[in-house]
Amino acid sequence: MGIFKKFFDKLKYTFKRTELNDDFYDELESILISSDMGVETAMDIMDELRDVCKKKLIKDVERAQIELKQLLIDKLNVQPVEFDYPMIITVVGVNGVGKTTSIAKMTKYFLNKKKNVILAAGDTFRAAATEQLSNWAEKLKVKIIKQGEGADSAAVVFDAISSMKAKNNDVLIVDTAGRLHTKTNLMKELEKINNIINREYPEAKKMNLIVLDASIGQNSIAQVKAFKDSVNIDGIILTKLDGTSKGGVVYPIINELHVPIIFTGFGEGVDDLDVFDAENFVNKILM
Ligand code: GDP
């Protein structure tokens, strides 16, 4: 259940409180802030909610809940994403955020759309990463291009593009290493991968997506900034939204970084992925 629904249900059913008062606004404000929405956004939403309730002469908790929901949706200001094919998605992110699982989920998403998908095991730094991705490829019955541990990841991507073109695949998803402690090498590697993709398949639509773990809240902003210094980031896959009360972090991500959220992950299963949609997100995670 979403964090705001919990709050409203408590007011309505436990306290049987139905009227708006200062306690209501104070408590709501602290929930907004604890959701990692950022103080500025939280303050804005509070001001707007007070205004709208005053204007519309709203005095009850139930109607305030409806107004809050609309404000939360409006503030996200999401443009629907368009996928064009052939498309090459390069997935970056720090180890452990859910990169491999997200690649599997996206594969399933595009397979459901009747697209041909091929994977490139570009994280050649860890043998386990290639193995984990290969297991998913087998389960999902898609081709994976891989080489041994320590291989040049750009060479893996080169091979994957050749195979993609030969087989007329619609989507290539490239996994990359996530070892941020060797940042300079990693960023050079990502640049090289991007160069290969641009050189070998200029007609393909390209998307660099960063995977972020929502449960780490505002720290994810720093991760985007670290990658953005070297590679272009077109969008975000926000994972682990299940069981976190930090869903509000989407607000600073959208407002401060101006990078769109493309997918959200809310579980370990291969179907636990949504294309980001403001209303659906607010309903599912916040309300
Ligand atoms: P990687 O190191 O970034 O490739 O991360 P993995 O894909 O291996 O995921 C790390 C752990 O997080 C695994 O145990 C996954 O099952 C788990 N995980 C990934 N995405 C989600 C999610 O959306 N929700 C939850 N609860 N767990 C997730």
Side-chain angles (χ1 to χ4, degrees):
M1 191 199 292
I3 46 177
F4 297 109
K5 184 159 190 308
K6 246 186 233 163
F7 167 67
F8 283 104
D9 282 357
K10 193 174 84 184
L11 290 181
K12 281 186 281 192
Y13 306 117
T14 315
F15 298 151
K16 309 248 184 287
R17 196 163 92 207
T18 52
E19 267 187 39
L20 308 184
N21 57 18
D22 281 345
D23 285 350
F24 164 84
Y25 285 113
D26 287 348
E27 205 176 328
L28 184 56
E29 186 174 295
S30 61
I31 297 179
L32 288 168
I33 292 170
S34 70
S35 79
D36 264 357
M37 184 170 281
V39 176
E40 212 174 297
T41 314
M43 296 292 192
D44 276 1
I45 289 188
M46 285 311 296
D47 287 347
E48 286 170 35
L49 185 66
R50 279 177 196 266
D51 275 0
V52 85
C53 288
K54 206 167 149 191
K55 233 178 253 159
K56 294 188 179 176
L57 304 173
I58 291 171
K59 298 205 161 54
D60 62 289
V61 167
E62 234 146 67
R63 285 186 61 205
Q65 183 176 5
I66 296 168
E67 295 299 335
L68 173 65
K69 189 169 166 175
Q70 197 53 51
L71 284 175
L72 290 170
I73 293 170
D74 292 347
K75 271 264 177 300
L76 286 174
N77 187 25
V78 178
Q79 306 301 320
V81 58
E82 297 272 340
F83 297 115
D84 291 320
Y85 309 95
M87 174 168 60
I88 303 179
I89 300 177
T90 305
V91 185
V92 306
V94 176
N95 287 336
V97 290
K99 197 150 40 84
T100 316
T101 315
S102 297
I103 293 173
K105 289 174 180 177
M106 282 194 286
T107 302
K108 182 78 189 298
Y109 171 83
F110 289 112
L111 290 176
N112 286 346
K113 287 172 87 93
K114 307 273 178 267
K115 301 295 170 195
N116 286 310
V117 183
I118 176 172
L119 304 180
D123 182 357
T124 52
F125 193 67
R126 295 181 307 148
T130 300
E131 198 183 310
Q132 200 189 344
L133 198 64
S134 297
N135 289 340
W136 278 116
E138 201 177 311
K139 264 189 217 154
L140 293 161
K141 299 187 173 55
V142 296
K143 187 166 177 181
I144 179 166
I145 303 295
K146 56 186 172 183
Q147 289 182 15
E149 189 176 340
D152 178 4
S153 53
V156 176
V157 174
F158 181 91
D159 286 352
I161 294 174
S162 306
S163 182
M164 178 190 196
K165 283 175 160 175
K167 294 269 163 31
N168 263 326
N169 292 128
D170 302 302
V171 184
L172 164 63
I173 307 178
V174 179
D175 187 20
T176 64
R179 42 173 214 290
L180 208 55
H181 53 281
T182 55
K183 190 168 176 250
T184 316
N185 289 343
L186 173 62
M187 296 303 163
K188 268 196 196 133
E189 191 173 287
L190 293 177
E191 271 171 41
K192 200 168 156 193
I193 289 174
N194 271 301
N195 291 340
I196 290 281
I197 293 172
N198 286 328
R199 193 187 75 200
E200 294 303 314
Y201 210 161
E203 318 85 273
K205 158 125 182 166
K206 286 131 203 130
M207 242 195 218
N208 285 345
L209 301 184
I210 186 167
V211 182
L212 299 177
D213 174 345
S215 63
I216 66 164
Q218 300 256 353
N219 284 343
S220 49
I221 309 251
Q223 289 182 3
V224 178
K225 286 182 178 156
F227 278 90
K228 239 181 145 186
D229 283 345
S230 315
V231 286
N232 193 35
I233 299 288
D234 302 298
I236 289 164
I237 305 170
L238 194 62
T239 64
K240 309 192 191 184
L241 279 159
D242 48 310
T244 167
S245 56
K246 304 287 187 191
V249 75
V250 296
Y251 292 90
I253 286 175
I254 291 176
N255 297 330
E256 284 176 35
L257 298 170
H258 307 290
V259 181
I261 294 171
I262 309 290
F263 290 107
T264 50
F266 49 91
E268 293 182 87
V270 78
D271 292 307
D272 298 329
L273 182 83
D274 273 341
V275 169
F276 189 57
D277 167 89
E279 190 164 351
N280 182 25
F281 180 81
V282 170
N283 278 330
K284 199 163 178 171
I285 310 293
L286 298 176
M287 274 297 181

